[in-house]
Amino acid sequence: MSLTLPDFSEIEAAHKRIQPQAHRTPVLTSSYFNGKTGASLFFKCENFQKIGAFKFRGAFNAISRLSEAEGKKGIVTHSSGNHAQAVALASGMNGYSATIVMPENAPKVKVNAVRDYGAEIIFCKNTTEARESAAQKVIDETGATFIHPYNHPDVIAGQGTAAKELLEDHPDLDIIMAPVGGGGLISGTAIWAKHISPDIKVIGAEPKWADDAYRSFKSGQIEPVLRTDTVADGLRTSLGELTFQAIQTNVDDIVTTSEDVIIQTMRDIWERMKIIIEPSCAVPLAAIIENKMAIDQLKIGIILTGGNVDLENLPFG
Amino acid sequence: MSLTLPDFSEIEAAHKRIQPQAHRTPVLTSSYFNGKTGASLFFKCENFQKIGAFKFRGAFNAISRLSEAEGKKGIVTHSSGNHAQAVALASGMNGYSATIVMPENAPKVKVNAVRDYGAEIIFCKNTTEARESAAQKVIDETGATFIHPYNHPDVIAGQGTAAKELLEDHPDLDIIMAPVGGGGLISGTAIWAKHISPDIKVIGAEPKWADDAYRSFKSGQIEPVLRTDTVADGLRTSLGELTFQAIQTNVDDIVTTSEDVIIQTMRDIWERMKIIIEPSCAVPLAAIIENKMAIDQLKIGIILTGGNVDLENLPFG
């Protein structure tokens, strides 16, 4: 597979593939947060997506593009997060088997979720090397196809379909925001948004404690994540070459925010909007609030990325 | 005001009044709960309604029907729950002042919410007599209009608009379910549903620990609530004469469920659907699950009534 960024037509094609299987998630508004920010906010609720996160879109698109012959050899990935569940479910829906490499200390709730979707799990030590070598072993033995969580054109195209739906529902957005982890979501979002209108500003948001995309955006080269303890556990990853390229080309700005504002904003979203979101979801709104961004009267779309949290282990309360 | 049940045309008129001000709440589905029950479930998310509960509909309808002269004398009610917030907000939106009588031990979070909506609060002892006499004192002194939380034709008509929207979105429901507290929601729901189609079954649901409507429905007279400790704190009230009449005429059945199933179902809805609901909301689905109701392949609408919970004091975790 050549690593070339998808264009808008590949996001359109991805949407055709995904639509019959994915939820068209609702867009919610909140008088409270509109009042607090001065903007009109439109929250695209991917926490209601299958497996509880937007990751289903990219994984399903990539897996459904495989030939029958490729698919029958199985799918493999390494992840302890939402991508693991997405690959497990999307593989099963396409009639393929999946093997997920997970660190041996992965939370039991996530292990069980992956198993419930019918995937086989291989445990390994919690290092990048151990995960990659365990995945490579599966590929060598079975010819399985590896689905990268973000640095993959079909995954990026799939993630872009969330922004496509949001802009179909609200074509007059001034700004569209998404959190940045590995960068798959912001890449697909930016490619679609800039296709629809060069006037829409695309802004990524990161925790200050995982501001690698912010630093990469400023320096012009991929900078690694320096610490992995942000509460926004979905955003602890560094960019890939493809997602960095998409960000350089199509993203207007990246803003950052601090841990306490992320936690407070997460809690406020729970209490005010009555929806369950992961800490990562709260990052764009937290950045707006903390930085007092000049957004008065503007229409801002925010992609809420997922809702998989451990109710026994909340960062507040 | 004569206490006569509203008919469908009054629900239509209520909807015209409410629509510009209320959220048209989304209807969510869940593959997980469809699989678990064998039915197709459609959840009307009134937890996303203004003030976080369907109660806004009834209060707004009743208050916006007042004449300018009546409204200027103020609005009064007694409640420590969602009706208090609904009256406070709906009064302000109509340019009227509101006085809410609350028990002196009401949770601070609810007191603050009512105050945030601009209402005046009068505290009293936590007995029915104390509340009623405090409200009567306000009426005697100011000529304020009392808005009953459920035994009020305009309130019932307002609550019926949730079912109207649900049946507009999903006209082919076989069953529509709502929890029963004082009975305002199930009354409005039943009046509208039976107007749309006599074939739709309307089923109320109650905690076994607050099964007064179930017992009233069977005995043919209003039976009081016997205990007030169900976790479903919105359903601890007895029926009124109007709501009992609506239930006798239009409701097909009332089912009950136990505390542990309510709590488990509430938690499952949080985890699987990523939405925050009050314990009362979980009661219809809990009743389906506990009673193994014969609903295979049927389309069932369930009104999720509200999402105002204290995140510091959850019944699970």
Side-chain angles (χ1 to χ4, degrees), chain A:
Chain A
M1 167 182 37
S2 73
L3 281 187
T4 307
L5 278 176
D7 69 3
F8 75 91
S9 68
E10 285 159 279
I11 296 174
E12 277 177 341
H15 203 211
K16 288 210 180 75
R17 279 179 214 111
I18 292 168
Q19 265 183 319
Q21 306 297 340
H23 292 299
R24 181 160 186 128
T25 53
V27 178
L28 296 182
T29 60
S30 160
S31 315
Y32 174 77
F33 287 116
N34 288 348
K36 191 176 172 86
T37 61
S40 292
L41 304 173
F42 299 88
F43 296 93
K44 173 73 170 167
C45 289
E46 287 294 296
N47 51 334
F48 299 156
Q49 190 49 269
K50 282 201 190 290
I51 72 106
F54 74 94
K55 294 272 184 182
F56 176 75
R57 296 177 182 267
F60 187 87
N61 186 52
I63 291 166
S64 64
R65 288 205 65 187
L66 298 178
S67 71
E68 186 83 6
E70 288 172 316
K72 288 296 178 200
K73 290 181 185 164
I75 317 294
V76 63
T77 198
H78 51 73
S79 162
S80 58
N82 292 330
H83 181 64
Q85 295 181 51
V87 166
L89 177 61
S91 296
M93 289 169 85
N94 282 280
Y96 306 145
S97 66
T99 306
I100 314 290
V101 176
M102 300 185 87
E104 55 203 3
N105 63 347
K108 204 169 174 193
V109 55
K110 302 214 168 187
V111 173
N112 288 342
V114 168
R115 198 169 273 141
D116 284 350
Y117 289 125
E120 191 189 337
I121 298 170
I122 294 178
F123 292 101
C124 70
K125 289 209 186 319
N126 188 19
T127 67
T128 306
E129 296 70 33
R131 295 186 201 196
E132 287 179 353
S133 87
Q136 190 58 51
K137 189 153 172 275
V138 174
I139 296 168
D140 292 343
E141 288 174 3
T142 63
T145 299
F146 181 74
I147 305 289
H148 194 280
Y150 50 88
N151 204 50
H152 185 309
D154 298 332
V155 170
I156 292 172
Q159 317 305 33
T161 61
K164 179 170 184 284
E165 292 176 6
L166 175 54
L167 284 162
E168 282 168 1
D169 292 351
H170 298 280
D172 54 350
L173 295 181
D174 301 297
I175 296 174
I176 189 163
M177 294 183 76
V180 186
L185 179 64
I186 195 76
S187 295
T189 299
I191 292 166
W192 184 262
K194 293 297 182 179
H195 160 65
I196 289 294
S197 159
D199 295 335
I200 299 177
K201 294 272 175 289
V202 180
I203 301 178
E206 276 188 320
K208 283 195 201 326
W209 287 7
D211 66 345
D212 58 295
Y214 172 81
R215 288 182 285 107
S216 307
F217 187 69
K218 300 295 180 194
S219 76
Q221 61 186 31
I222 298 179
E223 308 282 351
V225 164
L226 298 176
R227 53 194 289 181
T228 57
D229 51 352
T230 172
V231 67
D233 55 321
L235 309 181
R236 291 170 184 160
T237 350
S238 303
L239 299 177
E241 56 167 298
L242 260 190
T243 54
F244 178 56
Q245 186 191 330
I247 288 171
Q248 281 191 302
T249 315
N250 296 293
V251 169
D252 294 285
D253 203 1
I254 296 181
V255 290
T256 63
T257 186
S258 49
E259 297 294 301
D260 56 340
V261 185
I262 296 170
I263 293 168
Q264 184 59 48
T265 303
M266 174 183 174
R267 193 196 162 118
D268 284 351
I269 290 177
W270 282 46
E271 286 200 332
R272 295 292 178 157
M273 298 183 63
K274 316 300 181 192
I275 58 177
I276 290 176
I277 57 160
E278 301 173 358
S280 305
C281 292
V283 170
L285 182 56
I288 288 175
I289 291 168
E290 184 172 5
N291 300 317
K292 301 181 181 62
M293 284 167 62
I295 51 169
D296 201 41
Q297 314 259 352
L298 296 184
K299 292 194 174 67
I300 305 181
I302 294 177
I303 302 179
L304 297 179
T305 47
N308 291 326
V309 292
D310 182 354
L311 292 177
E312 244 96 78
N313 189 18
L314 298 175
F316 50 74

Side-chain angles (χ1 to χ4, degrees), chain B residues 10 31 47 71 126 189 210 232 288 305 313:
Chain B
E10 285 161 278
S31 314
N47 51 333
N126 188 18
T189 299
I288 288 175
T305 47
N313 189 17

Side-chain angles (χ1 to χ4, degrees), chain B residues 74-133:
Chain B
I75 318 295
V76 63
T77 197
H78 51 73
S79 163
S80 58
N82 292 329
H83 180 64
Q85 295 182 51
V87 167
L89 177 61
S91 296
M93 290 169 83
N94 282 280
Y96 306 146
S97 66
T99 305
I100 314 291
V101 176
M102 300 184 86
E104 54 203 3
N105 64 346
K108 203 170 174 194
V109 56
K110 302 214 169 186
V111 173
N112 289 342
V114 167
R115 197 169 274 142
D116 284 351
Y117 290 125
E120 189 188 337
I121 299 171
I122 294 178
F123 291 101
C124 70
K125 289 210 187 317
N126 188 18
T127 66
T128 305
E129 295 69 32
R131 295 186 200 196
E132 287 179 354
S133 88

